[in-house]
Amino acid sequence: MNSSSWRSIPTVDRISDMPDSILCHILSFHPTKFAATTSVLSKRWKLVWIAVVALYFDQETFNSFASFRNFVWLSMFTLRDKKSSIYSFTLKCGESSRFTQRDWVKIFKFVMERGIEYLNFDMSENYVKLLIGLCDCNTFL
């Protein structure tokens, strides 16, 4: 390729010009772990990923259950605004998942208090019995 056939590519940053609501919408299509990694881009992005209204946690993307649980807790209970709504919540757990009944109650309470519209729990058969027990109790009344 000679220099006459090479064209320069414009270096305009169009993403930074987008409003936070659009960036949040884009990030809502990605797993929460990926959305969180955008926080290293700039100070602005640290606040953007926390405002995403679709949370998707997948245990398979973590090296251990402990790091997965810590990320879920940090994302849900430490960094997010206590009053922020959530449209969609997905929690995908593997067989090595060790959430306690107390953890499940806290997770259910979190999503129910935020006006959840779409709730998805993808887990091993070990947890189906636990969830049925939780849904039958009066914890959320």
Side-chain angles (χ1 to χ4, degrees), residues 17 26 45 69 83 87-88 92 120 133 140:
D17 292 337
I26 292 168
W45 284 88
R69 185 186 183 281
K83 297 175 185 175
Y87 169 77
S88 173
K92 185 176 178 184
N120 180 25
F140 304 108

Side-chain angles (χ1 to χ4, degrees), residues 23-61:
L23 296 175
C24 285
H25 185 73
I26 292 168
L27 290 178
S28 72
F29 292 99
H30 296 281
T32 303
K33 183 177 180 180
F34 172 81
T37 62
T38 63
S39 66
V40 301
L41 298 175
S42 71
K43 290 180 183 180
R44 177 184 178 201
W45 284 88
K46 286 181 183 179
L47 300 175
V48 171
W49 85 268
I50 295 170
V52 171
V53 296
L55 298 178
Y56 180 95
F57 299 103
D58 184 354
Q59 184 180 345
E60 291 180 5
T61 63

Side-chain angles (χ1 to χ4, degrees), residues 8 14 23-25 41 47 49 64 66 76 79 90 95 98 103 109 114 118 124 134:
S8 66
R14 293 193 172 122
L23 296 175
C24 285
H25 185 73
L41 298 175
L47 300 175
W49 85 268
S64 69
M76 290 172 56
L79 298 176
T90 300
E95 290 186 22
R98 296 183 308 274
D103 290 340
K109 186 176 180 185
R114 285 161 178 79
Y118 177 79
S124 70
L134 283 173

